[in-house]
Amino acid sequence: MNESIINGLTSSLLILQALLEKGAKYLVVQGTPLAGCLPLTMYLAPEDDRDDIGCVKSANDQSNNHNLMLQDKLQELRKQYPHAVIVYADYLNAYRTVMKNPNKYGFKEVFRVCCGSGDAPYNFNVFATCGTPNATVCTNPSQYINWDGVHLTEAMYKVVSNMFLQGNFTQPPFDFLLENKERNG
C-alpha cells in the first residue's frame, strides 16, 4: 500500500474522530473518485496502463485500495461511536457507473476537457491549462464530464450528488441519516 495513502487516511480519520469526540452525530464521508479517469492522470500515464473503462488502471487501483481501507476504518468508528450515523459516499462506484454509460447521464465527452489547450486527445496540456492565454472553453459544458483535467464539470458533480442522495451509492442509504435526524434531532 502506498505510504501517502496511509498517511492521508490516518489524518482524515483523526479529524473524523475529533469531530465525533466533540459530539458530531451525523457524518457523511466521501470516498475518493476514480483518479485514473482524470485527463491529467491519463496525460501523464503510459498508454498501456488502462482499465476496462479506458482510465489509468494503476491510479484507479490506488483509489479503490484507499476506499476499501477507509470503509474498514469507518466500520471501526461506527462501533466506537454507536450514537453517530456515519455514512460512506461511494464516489468511486458512482463515477464508474457514469463512465460505463455516459450517454444515459447526458455526457458526450468522457475524457476531453471542456476548458483546455486544444491538444489531442484530451484537449489538455499540462503547460497550457484552463485559464492560460491560449485555453478555450467549450460551448456545452453539461455534455462534458471533465472541466479542466483535474476538476469535474458542474453537470458531473450534479449527477454524482444525485446518485448519493437518491441512489444506492451511500452506506447506509442517505435516507437513513435523514430519518434518524428527524427522529433524534
Side-chain angles (χ1 to χ4, degrees):
M1 178 61 58
N2 185 321
E3 189 175 325
S4 65
I5 290 175
I6 293 170
N7 290 338
L9 188 58
T10 301
S11 30
S12 296
L13 291 170
L14 289 172
I15 292 167
L16 290 173
Q17 193 163 17
L19 289 169
L20 290 161
E21 287 293 326
K22 296 283 184 186
K25 292 194 254 181
Y26 307 100
L27 295 174
V28 178
V29 181
Q30 176 181 298
T32 59
L34 291 171
C37 294
L38 296 173
L40 171 65
T41 309
M42 296 178 70
Y43 177 88
L44 296 172
E47 292 283 328
D48 64 347
D49 184 8
R50 296 295 186 264
D51 61 16
D52 63 319
I53 55 175
C55 301
V56 178
K57 182 179 181 349
S58 59
N60 283 347
D61 287 348
Q62 281 191 348
S63 294
N64 189 54
N65 289 337
H66 172 274
N67 289 342
L68 291 172
M69 287 178 61
L70 174 61
Q71 290 174 73
D72 286 345
K73 296 299 182 184
L74 292 178
Q75 194 57 34
E76 290 174 21
L77 288 174
R78 287 181 184 112
K79 289 176 185 170
Q80 192 175 351
Y81 300 93
H83 70 281
V85 177
I86 303 171
V87 174
Y88 173 72
D90 190 354
Y91 200 152
L92 186 142
N93 282 307
Y95 196 139
R96 187 180 220 353
T97 298
V98 174
M99 293 296 290
K100 283 186 163 190
N101 193 359
N103 291 336
K104 177 181 176 181
Y105 301 95
F107 298 112
K108 293 185 177 157
E109 293 292 344
V110 179
F111 295 117
R112 287 182 54 80
V113 301
C114 177
C115 181
S117 64
D119 290 2
Y122 310 116
N123 189 31
F124 179 83
N125 182 315
V126 75
F127 300 108
T129 58
C130 184
T132 58
N134 293 330
T136 59
V137 179
C138 67
T139 57
N140 50 357
S142 64
Q143 295 178 354
Y144 285 70
I145 288 177
N146 294 286
W147 173 251
D148 63 1
V150 179
H151 303 97
L152 303 177
T153 60
E154 182 179 339
M156 180 61 166
Y157 285 126
K158 183 177 181 181
V159 166
V160 170
S161 65
N162 283 336
M163 293 169 101
F164 292 159
L165 297 173
Q166 300 160 357
N168 299 319
F169 292 95
T170 57
Q171 293 302 322
F174 198 77
D175 285 348
F176 176 78
L177 180 145
L178 296 176
E179 291 165 8
N180 194 290
K181 186 161 176 31
E182 275 184 22
R183 268 195 314 270
N184 302 320

